[in-house]
Amino acid sequence: MVTFTLDGREMQVEPGTTILQAARSVDIGIPTFCYQERLSISASCRMCLVEIEGRGKLEPSCATAVAEGMVVHSHSDRVVETRGDMLEILLANHPLDCPVCDKGGECELQDTVFEYGRGDSRLRDPKRVFRNRDIELNQVIVFNANRCIQCQRCVRVCEEIVGDVALGTGERGLDSEITGTGNSLKDCSHCGNCIEVCPVGALMSIPYRYKARPWDLQRTETICGMCGTGCSLTVETRDGAFKRVKSRFDTGLNGELLCAKGRFGFDAIDGGNRIREPMVRRNGTLEPVSWDAAIRFLADKVHEVRGKGRTIRGQISPRQPNETAFLFQRLMRQCFKSSEIHSSCRFAGLRTPAAVEALAETAGRLASRSPLETVLQADCIFLLGSNAAEENPVSSYLIRAAVRGSFNRLLVASSRPGSLDSLAAATLRLRPGHESQLLAALTGQAGVADPAMAEFCAVAAPVVTQAESIALLIGTEFLRTVEAAAVLQWVSASAAHFADHGKRVQLQFLFDRPNQLGLWEMGCLPGILPGWRQEAQRPHSADGGPGLHYVLGADPAAYRSGGFAQNNDCLVVHAAHMSRTAEHADVLLPAPAFGEEEGTFTSNEGRVQEIRAIRPPRFSGPEPGQVFGLIAGALGQDLGPCKPAPLGAVIAAEIPGFGAFDAEGGAAVSGAKKTGLLPPVSTTGGKAARQHYLITGDGLFQSGQLSGRSRCLSGLTGGAYAELNPGEGWAGPEGSLVRISANGAGFTVPLKVNPGFGDGAVFIPEWYLARHAGCVGAGAEYPVTVEVELISPEG
Amino acid sequence: MSAATVATIKQALASQVQEAAARYPTKRSAIMPTLELAQQAYGVIDGTTYQAIAELLDVPEIWVFEVASFYTLFDRKEMGRYHLQLCTNVSCMLAGAEELLEELRMHLAAEGPHEGLFSLSAVECLGACDKAPVLMVNADYIEDITPAKLEVLLAALEREAKAAEEGAA
Amino acid sequence: MSDLVLLRNIENPDAPEIAVYESSGGYEGLRIVLRDFAPDQVIEAVKSSSLRGRGGAGFPTGMKWSFVPKDSGKPHYLCCNADEGEPGTFKDRILMERDPHQLIEGMVIAAYAIGANTAYLYIRGEYGLSIRQCEQAIAAAYAKGYLGKDILGSGFDLDIHIHKGAGAYICGEETALLESIEGKRGQPKLKPPFPAVAGLYECPTVVNNVETLACLPHLFRRGVEWFTSIGPEDGPGPKLFCFSGQVKRPGVYEVPMGLPLGEMLEVYGGGALSGRFKAAIPGGVSAPMFPESGFDVKMDFSSLAAAGSMLGSAGVIGLDESASIPRVARRITEFFSHESCGKCTPCREGLTWAAKILRRIEAGEGAPGDVAQLDMLCGSIFGKSFCALGDGAAWALGAALKHFRHEFEALIPAQAQPVQEMRLW
Ligand SMILES: Cc1cc2nc3c(=O)[nH]c(=O)nc-3n(C[C@H](O)[C@H](O)[C@H](O)COP(=O)(O)O)c2cc1C
Ligand code: SF4
Ligand code: FES
């Protein structure tokens, strides 16, 4: 510990602490512009200068480490006067157009001038003016150079955290200007973090432009509904209408960071075609009915189906809150006497009991319930089977921030290339399902035949061996494959193996949906009760499809390979929006959209976080939990409390330790696990010539149905494409096409060349496959083998 | 320059760039030498050049632009056959450089449009203050400039350019 | 003139030839070093020579080298600062054009001392002839085994690469120079860490000026005692001074340090061009000027520092009675504002405002209060900017305002209205 004196107060701090950090820890305010936690230190704005006794010059507190016996004055006359000077010369060139500036009212320059500024100036010569019109750098970011104070926070966040290097600085001296290539942003993820960190109104959001004044907005603190990273969102509305999303700098999970989906996708709340009233299919057409009638109809169907001895199947969307999920499985198990509860139509690999059991072991028991940022402090970060850069962007930003400057910590093995590849000590393109091969090789339990994998292991093995702690970050793509069970078993075995070798191992999944973990924890899995308890009686799988299919929020028809069967007696769709599945429904029940309901989501970290409504649901009637209660009632049963508040106690009682979270670091995987027989590693994947395997998933602007309803994100997504690496010889011109076919059916999409892809892999975004190309994916196992034909535009 | 495309620039510079890059442990370091090579080859550097260099060195394009716009010797505008760079820093100023600059401006303006013959810039200290005022004509230093000397020089350059054009025709 | 050291070959047009250089004792210093000295002993010898850097800051060279860690496990780099951009300075150019091997030999010695196998010679892009001469000298040195693998059979390897600047005075600042070699905008970097610990590519790096390095061959050929016998005790050795501005005999001269400024201007500069001197800048435009009344200041590192200025780059600019100090101050301030890298607030914003006000005063559009405004700007910049560019600019302008305030005030029209303080809101 270092002892020093700050403004007359003696303090003890860790060695290496800066004066600024020490001051902020005791609420001594020192103004800053260029400083920002998480970013490299710039020390260029000179707002934070303080006086250190014995040193002639003022020193930047953001960059000066405390030394033993130092005496610091952060509010001496000289210091306060200097702040006034800096502000005076900053304002001399500033346009002072606060009345029409979007930042007015929440501007750091304004606030700092309010506190330290002199309020007058004799600098009366003409101001520097870059230009009279703002530049739209892309579809979401607009730039006003005149207001910029050159703090470079945007440039640093873009390069150091997001990894895009889209923004930079042109010219020099007083002409220095933030810009992208040719006044637009090449390689931009549209995350808007530059807007968020801009202290003034220089970088602004186009969707929010001139929409409101900050002081007129109502704020609702909630959680992003896009992916499992679970970033905090502040949703701002005016008169009930959505205006914008901001991140929560000081208190929010992941601070200032959001990705494009989180920051620009919330307008989805106003998109889509709403289901506004209950409907029942009579004589082939859906007719509006009363809630009573709909529920009675449904109860009758349940009787009828059960009478015939057929099963009832439940399908719940991983965007439903824990409370709804808990009641849903209760309805299914208690009233429908069924354990056939599924929560992601995409994870076909979870249909076997072995896979479900292995999932319970890994996600339920081994996964660390602690902040990702503390997990990331490990010596080695192993990103396995995850396309985090696209599907969990903010998690990937955190990984980038964690490994910055240390190039020997990160290992990446994934099906798709991503922005983290360049930071990794070793990178491997892996066919989904082959994760077990890699783990077996890396733990020395099997040899490697594949040369690329061998090369990866040669670099990765020493990194793993030398690490005292390992963070295992596991993606979900392999859950779509038939190898899901094997991979999960190898994951837990490997974790135990590393732990046995004296390493501190922490494991976390990177789910691409916001409440995937929560749903499973609530028991929305066949054969798994709330709290990951095994269910005594095994669900019998339904041959020939279930008699009744209750779909909550999901759209299985969009994923034909996902076990959606149409040959059922009754399809119940309970959802906010019309969908492919809803078109076939026999019973249609309205539900609140994301943003209209309360409850909790469980993030990938295991953190149970509250989601809040920004407005009442756009329909009249009971919310899903209450609907379940009514259905139970119609069947002569009692489901218990159906409102979130009392329900919390019920959940807590049934799941001991629900919501337990170790903010300090969390437990590590303990070794010496039963070494049961591990499944043999799969050896599939010898591909025939000209054959590719087709992988899919979300992109930077897509997250399933929800993102599709966002106008802003849809505008960024662009058209369909097939992404692959055509190999060295390919010199096809831009505008080339690809024909993808399987079993005689096929379609043609534009080619996107990406040399980062592995041999034989072709990626097509899931939203496109779901909407247009079911023909290729139908019924087949993942990844689908397809024929790929490259077509030059000339023919 | 108009004919150059990203592909042709890449092809033309590839081997020289490789040589330059070999002098440094990172490719980013070769941005400055590569910009210089491009400028020598094409006279001016622009968006196409940035892209070509970014691809040649496998660096973000914005890095290339950042560097190109920070350093004054990179010409982002087409320059005349002769780029006249007159030092106006203190020692040269004391020797009449600011007055010479005015004269040069007037002279060039009075001669009418020179069709790419001369470009004029006032520059900072060229490190030849003992021979003030100093003028750089393209890469060459011309020292102890006086109005009379200047007149002779401009006439000579004009003749040289004319001869070169006739020779080419 | 026979006792010239750095300029001993100045009159010989063939000095850049390696054979000519060798015939005057060239590369003997290097031979001695590689034969008789371990790297540590080289550093010790340089320390005991009290050699101080000739680039501007006058930092003791041996001490700078000794900060390089011995077992960093990383490559080490030597960078020679030949970005010479300080107005009034042209000594490094003369050294490179007329006697490039002297520099190359010095670089090999320095690289050997700090354990660098790669050195970059950063020459400003305008110096075409210097670049060509150094390129040829480097090629010749490789051919003769003074560069490359196993130099003179010592087992020591060194490659020297030239990195050309492209028009940015700030790249003379050592951390900006390193950024520039890394292919970035030439903006200074935060210190600590100092380059000796984490410099070029985050590796231990020494940056030295051309003249500093050019001293080394002589130091090792003729010995520490010889070296310390030249000039003042706390910063001895041969030294070049550049004379320009309103002097009769502008040029580079090798002059013992410690002579009074006035005497130097008369004896070497040849006296004022017209009438008397009014003032002089002792060490490039960053160094505060002296009015004639201060001409007895001794021209060495410590005396100039004690007198509130600096030896800087030893670019002496004479200003005679015909010079307008506000005009000189305006031009200097414009220079710094043009060369400001734009990183820190006070330098980027403050200097441009100062230049605007100075231009206005010069044009007869000044107003009472303008000079006080300039004082305020100098105060906001000096000691508060990120690097020494801003400091130097404010320091230089401050001196002009202090010694020649009346000249500024005289330009403000008598009838001009005082500037009103402008309420901002
Ligand atoms: C704005 C600025 C410009 C500088 N320009 C030069 C220069 O052109 N040449 C130089 O050798 N040193 C220059 N310096 C000093 C260098 O930062 C550094 O101190 C010097 O190169 C170290 O070499 P030395 O120890 O041999 O003197 C400059 C410093 C500043 C702040
Ligand atoms: S990373 Fe995921 S949770 Fe965070 S903002 Fe993006 S989509 Fe939302
Ligand atoms: S916050 Fe310290 S200099 Fe900007």
Side-chain angles (χ1 to χ4, degrees), chain A residues 31-35 43-48 60-63:
Chain A
T32 55
F33 289 128
C34 67
Y35 174 78
S44 58
C45 74
R46 315 309 275 180
M47 274 311 290
C48 72
S61 60
C62 65

Side-chain angles (χ1 to χ4, degrees), chain C residues 124-265:
Chain C
R124 63 179 299 191
E126 293 89 340
Y127 279 6
L129 182 55
S130 295
I131 293 168
R132 282 196 299 281
Q133 295 287 37
C134 288
E135 276 169 355
Q136 282 166 15
I138 289 172
Y142 269 107
K144 283 259 181 160
Y146 298 123
L147 281 177
K149 293 260 175 274
D150 190 18
I151 295 172
L152 299 178
S154 64
F156 173 64
D157 307 336
L158 178 68
D159 287 312
I160 298 184
H161 304 295
I162 293 179
H163 187 93
K164 290 185 226 174
Y169 162 73
I170 186 60
C171 290
E173 196 283 335
E174 56 179 4
T175 57
L177 179 139
L178 300 179
E179 291 283 281
S180 183
I181 298 177
E182 288 183 19
K184 303 177 188 165
R185 298 155 57 74
Q187 291 193 318
K189 268 201 302 194
L190 202 59
K191 290 188 276 197
F194 289 91
V197 178
L200 192 61
Y201 310 111
E202 301 288 310
C203 296
T205 303
V206 162
V207 181
N208 273 134
N209 171 257
V210 171
E211 187 188 345
T212 313
L213 294 167
C215 285
L216 296 172
H218 310 287
L219 168 59
F220 284 94
R221 195 161 61 92
R222 302 171 73 167
V224 170
E225 241 167 77
W226 163 82
F227 191 87
T228 51
S229 71
I230 307 171
E233 214 172 286
D234 69 343
K239 181 79 194 89
L240 302 185
F241 286 85
C242 318
F243 292 88
S244 71
Q246 290 160 319
V247 295
K248 288 208 183 85
R249 278 203 310 268
V252 179
Y253 299 91
E254 190 170 330
V255 182
M257 283 186 275
L259 289 182
L261 170 59
E263 189 183 326
M264 237 188 216
L265 278 166

Side-chain angles (χ1 to χ4, degrees), chain A residues 224-231 233 254 257-263 391-395 703:
Chain A
C224 178
M226 293 288 177
C227 85
T229 301
C231 306
L233 297 186
N254 302 334
L257 301 178
L258 285 178
C259 71
K261 295 182 254 205
R263 194 179 301 282
E391 301 194 323
N392 305 85
V394 174
S395 297
S703 177

Side-chain angles (χ1 to χ4, degrees), chain A residues 30-51:
Chain A
I30 296 179
T32 55
F33 289 128
C34 67
Y35 174 78
Q36 177 148 351
E37 238 184 282
R38 227 198 288 270
L39 301 182
S40 63
I41 291 175
S42 162
S44 58
C45 74
R46 315 309 275 180
M47 274 311 290
C48 72
L49 297 179
V50 293
E51 199 170 345

